[in-house]
Amino acid sequence: MNDLTSLTIHEAHDLLKQKKVSSLELTKAHLERIAAVEPKVKAYVSVTEEIALAQAHEADARISRGEIGPLTGIPMQLKDNLAVNGTRTTCSSKMLENFVSPYDSTVAKRLKTAGAVLLGKGNMDEFAMGSSTENSAFFPTKNPWALDRVPGGSSGGPAAAVAAGECLFSLGSDTGGSIRQPASFCSITGLKPTYGLVSRFGLVAFASSLDQIGPMTKDVRDSATVLQAIAGYDSMDSTSANRPVPDYSASLKDNITGMKIGVPKEYFDGVDADVGEVLKRAMGQLAQLGAIIDYNVSLPSTPYALAVYYILAPSEASANLARYDGVKYGFSANAPTMWHSMEQTRQQGFGPEVKRRIMLGTYALSSGYYDAYYLKAQKVRTLIRREFDEAFKKYDALVTPTSPTPPFKFGDKVADPVKMYLSDVDTIPVNIAGIAGISVPAGFIEGLPVGMQLIGPSFSEETLFRIAHAYQQATGWHKLRAPVQ
Amino acid sequence: MRLSREEVVHIASLCRITMTDEDIARFQDQLSNILQQFEALKKVNTEGVPPTAQSLSLHNVLRDDSPRPSLSREDVLRNAPQQQEDQLRIRAVLEE
């Protein structure tokens, strides 16, 4: 890996500011890195070289006028379910293979305004449904730490691109763990912000009460910088929270002495013994930094979160994906009548996991089953939220594994949906409660990354950054770069 | 709880997805297996617990009903599979 592609955002920013490097040099170095490693990693659905070079020129012009912000001239990737005007947004689905967005998502617009440079769009599980990128209709992404293993999902392309030095940062979306689990698998930092903190306008909808966009970066400082650029009220998203955005970088200065961190025991049930050991060491380090760790926390409704999620998310998805009818945009099967065309469009345009979830959601919402499934799941959702609310009266944050296992091999889980779903068992409760969670690198098992998840109450991103940053300063796992060449 | 073949066919028709016999058999197994996992929720006492639809305490967010520019016709039609005279063209709705 050459020097420029191993940098963090803040290191690259310092070089740009001191005029030791130009955005064009930085951008070209990343395009070269993409050309070199993409045949192995396959993290990009599309590379937008022309846009990148034009935006880099523009950024250099701004910098020469002395107008430099923290993201000016910084090369980035975006997950391919985020709309960028005039570029393809495929969701890694045959349904949207040739769809060109007619407008910018709010996050893309804000990053453009901040001067970031778009290198391209990241591969994902189709419509963000999956935990390994094996559900991409185009190709799976490989883990840059071990090419025979999955990078996690659904934001596997973004996680692998950041880990392999193919961009300085990316944005993912997280409905049940789709930022944090791949961040854990690829040894990067991934934040799922509080529901409502980042506008979902221009994010292709999966499960609207759970979806949230967040930064995927090389360290916590970069995560704070990217969140600062994308957070805040947006009238185009009716679930956007109208509240002031704090200065996230300021929270990195404080130590964590006396902070109270709880360890909910249910999150360690069914976790690989090796992963448990890594977490034990990480918690020991948090204690050494002055945090008060309580190992006896219980959130008894946790075991029900997976079932709640696999009722609510497919139900919402079945409604959101009804729009793909082959009439207005997207893939359209040729058949003599409208109904035949619609049924064949959806048969040919959606992959197996998407169909499975549409079927599941349609069943859960259908007449006679609504109370037993959907309504029941919404009630248990309330119980899960209440338990978190109670816990956060006593603790500043909770610490758990991000995923029960290190990255697994291709083909290990794809044949058994229930087995695959278990990969998100530790991240799902956070989406159900709408609160904030971050995954940071916590070590390795035989060369395979393991992540630590920190969970905080709604709008506690400053607290999570503070703890996670202190941990990174003391450990340095985040400084190790993936070996792929 | 095991779904019958007829139930799977019915769900597929509600979803407007054509299925082969092979698809139906596979989904019958997989969906039944997933629904089995949901049985655990029956054990949870939710008496008197209100449902949560979303995690923010928001109610009916409305904007002012004022005119503003929308996407151009050209932009909207750019992704249309079939179009005619500046409009979306759909296939025959009524069968003969």
Side-chain angles (χ1 to χ4, degrees):
Chain A
M1 196 183 295
N2 71 45
D3 286 337
L4 292 179
T5 60
S6 64
L7 298 173
T8 60
I9 296 172
H10 53 94
E11 288 164 350
H13 170 74
D14 289 344
L15 295 178
L16 287 167
K17 205 171 172 181
Q18 295 159 13
K19 307 226 162 67
K20 285 185 180 161
V21 68
S22 68
S23 175
L24 195 61
E25 286 168 318
L26 205 52
T27 301
K28 281 183 174 168
H30 281 88
L31 289 168
E32 281 164 23
R33 177 76 182 160
I34 290 169
V37 300
E38 262 305 273
K40 289 177 195 159
V41 180
K42 301 185 88 60
Y44 280 81
V45 171
S46 52
V47 176
T48 53
E49 183 166 349
E50 270 179 48
I51 295 175
L53 295 174
Q55 288 179 335
H57 274 294
E58 203 183 309
D60 283 331
R62 281 167 76 168
I63 293 168
S64 70
R65 293 195 300 269
E67 300 163 14
I68 182 167
L71 292 176
T72 311
I74 299 293
M76 64 165 179
Q77 185 208 55
L78 297 173
K79 188 177 181 179
D80 209 16
N81 57 357
L82 296 167
V84 178
N85 193 5
T87 72
R88 284 198 310 154
T89 302
T90 70
C91 285
S92 291
S93 177
K94 192 180 171 196
M95 191 63 92
L96 291 174
E97 190 167 5
N98 298 308
F99 176 77
V100 176
S101 299
Y103 61 85
D104 276 329
S105 52
T106 296
V107 289
K109 191 182 271 181
R110 288 186 180 177
L111 289 169
K112 226 177 249 185
T113 306
V117 170
L118 182 71
L119 293 167
K121 308 291 291 293
N123 192 33
M124 53 191 279
D125 287 294
E126 183 178 5
F127 283 102
M129 298 174 187
S131 312
S132 68
T133 75
E134 288 166 292
N135 295 334
S136 167
F138 307 141
F139 44 78
T141 298
K142 313 287 174 60
N143 191 314
W145 292 91
L147 294 170
D148 60 339
R149 308 238 166 198
V150 304
S154 68
S155 310
V162 172
E166 296 184 77
C167 59
L168 287 180
F169 74 95
S170 188
L171 290 187
S173 63
D174 190 317
T175 306
S178 281
I179 288 174
R180 290 159 289 156
Q181 185 257 20
S184 170
F185 279 18
C186 292
S187 200
I188 66 162
T189 299
L191 172 75
K192 198 241 28 125
T194 305
Y195 185 79
L197 181 60
V198 178
S199 169
R200 295 181 295 112
F201 179 69
L203 165 68
V204 179
F206 162 15
S208 302
S209 84
L210 304 161
D211 297 341
Q212 185 63 193
I213 302 167
M216 304 186 71
T217 58
K218 291 178 185 170
D219 67 13
V220 174
R221 181 178 294 281
D222 283 1
S223 191
T225 300
V226 175
L227 184 64
Q228 199 76 52
I230 61 173
Y233 177 70
D234 176 22
S235 62
M236 299 301 280
D237 174 359
S238 63
T239 58
S240 175
N242 198 348
R243 65 203 314 280
V245 176
D247 176 0
Y248 292 113
S249 295
S251 64
L252 305 179
K253 294 187 192 102
D254 302 318
N255 67 44
I256 62 168
T257 305
M259 288 185 87
K260 296 194 188 82
I261 301 177
V263 183
K265 60 174 195 240
E266 289 81 5
Y267 285 75
F268 289 79
D269 292 342
V271 163
D272 272 16
D274 291 349
V275 172
E277 284 303 312
V278 168
L279 260 291
K280 207 178 277 177
R281 276 199 297 278
M283 294 183 290
Q285 275 152 334
L286 290 172
Q288 275 179 11
L289 290 165
I292 300 159
I293 314 283
D294 183 346
Y295 290 92
N296 289 308
V297 182
S298 176
L299 302 171
S301 294
T302 304
Y304 303 111
L306 198 66
V308 168
Y309 179 82
Y310 279 100
I311 293 170
L312 297 181
S315 295
E316 294 183 25
S318 72
N320 274 328
L321 273 65
R323 71 190 67 177
Y324 301 104
D325 54 11
V327 173
K328 301 177 292 297
Y329 50 80
F331 174 76
S332 184
N334 199 9
T337 70
M338 186 187 72
W339 294 122
H340 284 111
S341 168
M342 213 176 271
E343 284 165 357
Q344 286 170 28
T345 292
R346 292 165 69 78
Q347 150 76 6
Q348 295 168 39
F350 290 138
E353 180 63 24
V354 175
K355 284 180 196 161
R356 195 148 46 232
R357 300 219 194 171
I358 292 174
M359 299 268 289
L360 200 54
T362 301
Y363 180 72
L365 293 175
S366 66
S367 153
Y369 297 100
Y370 180 89
D371 284 6
Y373 291 113
Y374 191 71
L375 191 63
K376 181 77 182 181
Q378 284 192 316
K379 288 178 178 174
V380 181
R381 184 178 191 179
T382 304
L383 295 178
I384 292 168
R385 290 188 62 198
R386 283 180 183 168
E387 285 175 13
F388 275 121
D389 287 347
E390 282 305 308
F392 290 127
K393 285 179 187 163
K394 284 167 77 180
Y395 308 103
D396 295 297
L398 301 171
V399 59
T400 77
T402 307
S403 189
T405 69
F408 46 88
K409 287 196 169 151
F410 289 97
D412 263 8
K413 303 192 180 190
V414 79
D416 182 351
V418 173
K419 211 167 152 193
M420 184 71 89
Y421 296 168
L422 281 169
S423 191
D424 295 324
V425 69
D426 294 323
T427 45
I428 275 173
V430 173
N431 301 76
I432 288 174
I435 55 182
I438 192 168
S439 178
V440 291
F444 293 82
I445 299 166
E446 291 170 10
L448 301 175
V450 176
M452 167 174 72
Q453 176 176 235
L454 293 161
I455 304 173
S458 291
F459 304 107
S460 68
E461 283 76 8
E462 289 169 283
T463 306
L464 296 185
F465 284 148
R466 183 174 157 191
I467 300 169
H469 182 67
Y471 175 77
Q472 288 195 336
Q473 296 317 295
T475 55
W477 295 115
H478 63 291
K479 287 184 180 159
L480 300 177
R481 298 284 178 255
V484 65
Q485 284 301 331
Chain B
M1 133 128 240
R2 181 156 175 89
L3 289 177
S4 68
R5 189 192 142 81
E6 290 66 37
E7 282 176 302
V8 176
V9 171
H10 176 62
I11 302 166
S13 78
L14 292 176
C15 300
R16 297 257 175 235
I17 301 175
T18 308
M19 297 251 163
T20 61
D21 284 345
E22 204 180 309
D23 290 337
I24 291 165
R26 199 180 59 241
F27 281 122
Q28 194 182 345
D29 282 346
Q30 290 178 339
L31 295 177
S32 299
N33 191 11
I34 295 166
L35 290 172
Q36 191 62 43
Q37 314 292 318
F38 295 169
E39 293 298 300
L41 290 186
K42 286 190 179 152
K43 286 186 282 180
V44 188
N45 181 3
T46 50
E47 186 116 3
V49 177
T52 295
Q54 47 92 7
S55 55
L56 296 166
S57 45
L58 290 169
H59 297 279
N60 294 343
V61 179
L62 303 173
R63 63 167 171 79
D64 293 336
D65 186 18
S66 52
R68 54 182 175 153
S70 60
L71 293 176
S72 70
R73 186 179 291 255
E74 191 188 320
D75 282 340
V76 171
L77 288 173
R78 191 166 292 147
N79 284 296
Q82 293 192 90
Q83 52 174 296
Q84 192 177 327
E85 294 165 29
D86 282 349
Q87 294 174 72
L88 295 168
R89 183 189 158 91
I90 63 167
R91 294 174 178 89
V93 177
L94 300 173
E95 298 179 43
E96 289 187 27

